[in-house]
């Protein structure tokens, strides 16, 4: 009996190690996920990451990659089209190659190509519906100016491993995730926990993002839930102003300056499909 207790205690301590920095994380509350799994939420004192215990329920949570409660998917992608376009036009090479990691159904890639940016889709788990023919191939497009990764960081089981993989694609990552409020909200007081779908397992505080930036020797810029990890040294006031005004006339200006790829892509895809039927 004693041996069994000791083994359980050791396993629990190992499980409670932060999946980002390895520090022993402290349980702050327990709650139900998917209406049935009693799960511990652990806060790391070193990097500030709030994380679930080892997420053994993910196969069940991902029976559908896009959860039913994500009613903001279209509004979010249209907003991100505007903000990403203005930031790329302002700070990056508009003639470069871009990759949308965790690209879902490919809606964002299609929207960005419609503006005129050479965007490609990448996702391990979801079917590409809207950007077919524009899947990213690192052998054909080895140099990437910027990788986008929207509403995915909170899904990472091992955040540092996943972020390192993104940085292998590009030294510049534009991503979104809602930052953990302080003090830590109770289970039913913050919608972003996503208890109903069980896919959100990591929650980042400003402290966490600073830890990531230092770990990868990158610069960090944040406005609300939008964040940029980059090798570039940008003007913070300019980044903030461009991000906040992108929904207004700035995006219209950028769109006029770019050449849409919509018709060009239609011709290209039509040639690929000729003779199939």
């Amino acid at each position: 009996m004693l041996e069994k207790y000791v083994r359980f205690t050791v396993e629990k301590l190992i499980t409670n190690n932060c999946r980002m920095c390895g520090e022993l994380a402290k349980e702050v509350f327990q709650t139900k996920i998917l209406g049935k799994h009693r799960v511990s939420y652990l806060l790391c004192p070193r990097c500030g990451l709030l994380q679930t215990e080892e997420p053994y329920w993910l196969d069940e949570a991902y029976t559908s990659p896009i959860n039913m409660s994500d009613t903001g998917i279209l509004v979010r992608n249209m907003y991100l089209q505007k903000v990403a376009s203005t930031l790329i036009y302002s700070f990056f090479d508009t003639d470069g190659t871009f990759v949308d990691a965790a690209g879902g159904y490919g809606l964002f890639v299609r929207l960005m190509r419609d503006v005129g940016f050479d965007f490609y889709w990448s996702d391990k788990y979801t079917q590409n519906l809207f950007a077919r023919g524009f899947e990213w191939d690192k052998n054909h497009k080895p140099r990437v100016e910027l990788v986008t990764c929207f509403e995915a960081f909170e899904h990472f089981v091992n955040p540092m491993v996943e972020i390192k993989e993104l940085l292998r694609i590009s030294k510049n990552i534009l991503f979104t995730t809602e930052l953990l409020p302080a003090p830590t909200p109770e289970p039913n007081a913050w919608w972003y926990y996503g208890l109903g779908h069980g896919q959100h397992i990591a929650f980042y505080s400003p402290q966490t993002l600073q830890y990531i930036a230092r770990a990868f020797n990158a610069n960090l810029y944040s406005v609300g839930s939008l964040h940029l990890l980059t090798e570039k040294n940008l003007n913070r006031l300019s980044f903030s102003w461009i991000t906040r005004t992108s929904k207004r006339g700035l995006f219209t200006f950028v769109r006029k300056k770019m050449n849409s790829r919509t018709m060009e892509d239609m011709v290209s895809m039509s040639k690929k499909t000729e003779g199939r039927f």
Side-chain angles (χ1 to χ4, degrees):
M1 180 66 72
L2 179 60
E3 181 183 352
K4 182 178 180 180
Y5 173 78
V6 170
R7 186 170 65 250
F8 170 80
T9 304
V10 171
E11 288 174 352
K12 188 67 176 176
L13 285 172
I14 293 172
T15 301
N16 285 3
N17 284 351
C18 175
R19 295 193 293 273
M20 174 166 284
C21 71
E23 184 77 15
L24 185 63
K26 180 182 179 182
E27 182 182 288
V28 289
F29 61 78
Q30 290 186 1
T31 191
K32 281 188 177 181
I33 283 182
L34 295 171
K36 56 184 176 181
H37 301 293
R38 191 76 181 175
V39 173
S40 295
Y41 282 67
L42 313 162
L43 184 64
C44 179
R46 183 183 180 196
C47 69
L49 183 74
L50 178 70
Q51 61 215 279
T52 65
E53 63 182 83
E54 284 293 327
Y56 56 85
W57 59 89
L58 288 186
D59 285 346
E60 185 179 353
Y62 282 103
T63 51
S64 174
I66 308 298
N67 70 76
M68 288 178 61
S69 63
D70 189 6
T71 56
I73 186 169
L74 291 178
V75 172
R76 183 172 67 249
N77 276 276
M78 289 187 289
Y79 161 71
L80 290 170
Q81 177 199 37
K82 294 180 174 65
V83 70
S85 294
T86 54
L87 288 173
I88 290 171
Y89 188 85
S90 301
F91 298 121
F92 297 93
D93 179 6
T94 57
D95 293 325
T97 296
F98 305 89
V99 173
D100 186 32
Y105 294 142
L107 178 59
F108 179 73
V109 170
R110 185 63 263 162
L111 287 171
M112 293 303 287
R113 294 190 69 84
D114 289 344
V115 175
F117 298 103
D118 194 20
F119 253 87
Y120 293 84
W121 172 94
S122 177
D123 197 309
K124 300 175 184 177
Y125 307 106
T126 310
Q127 183 183 4
N128 179 11
L129 299 178
F130 295 103
R132 288 180 295 172
F134 299 100
E135 293 80 11
W136 178 61
D137 182 347
K138 63 181 178 181
N139 295 318
H140 293 161
K141 297 283 184 179
R143 186 186 178 281
V144 175
E145 178 73 1
L146 173 79
V147 59
T148 54
C149 189
F150 299 129
E151 295 305 297
F153 273 50
E154 58 277 4
H155 297 254
F156 291 166
V157 178
N158 297 296
M160 296 301 274
V161 174
E162 299 277 5
I163 294 168
K164 188 175 182 179
E165 286 299 313
L166 292 175
L167 288 169
R168 285 177 178 168
I169 300 174
S170 174
K171 297 298 183 184
N172 307 300
I173 307 173
L174 182 66
F175 66 101
T176 57
T177 193
E178 294 288 337
L179 292 182
L180 179 69
T184 304
E186 292 297 316
N188 295 322
W190 195 36
W191 66 275
Y192 208 61
Y193 286 134
L195 304 179
H197 56 71
Q199 296 179 1
H200 290 188
I201 58 174
F203 307 92
Y204 303 73
S205 65
Q207 177 187 347
T208 313
L209 296 189
Q210 291 291 345
Y211 176 88
I212 294 169
R214 288 193 301 270
F216 292 107
N217 193 28
N219 296 307
L220 172 68
Y221 303 89
S222 293
V223 174
S225 62
L226 185 80
H227 318 284
L228 175 65
L229 277 174
T230 178
E231 62 182 354
K232 295 177 178 287
N233 189 7
L234 306 180
N235 182 291
R236 293 188 181 278
L237 289 177
S238 296
F239 179 84
S240 178
W241 182 81
I242 289 167
T243 300
R244 295 181 188 281
T245 57
S246 60
K247 290 189 291 185
R248 298 192 284 273
L250 199 54
F251 172 67
T252 302
F253 169 81
V254 171
R255 191 156 199 168
K256 287 179 178 178
K257 290 292 184 179
M258 298 294 296
N259 295 314
S260 174
R261 296 172 181 266
T262 306
M263 292 304 295
E264 174 187 327
D265 289 349
M266 184 272 289
V267 172
S268 175
M269 292 302 104
S270 296
K271 288 180 178 179
K272 282 188 176 182
T273 56
E274 283 178 4
R276 287 188 180 180
F277 305 101

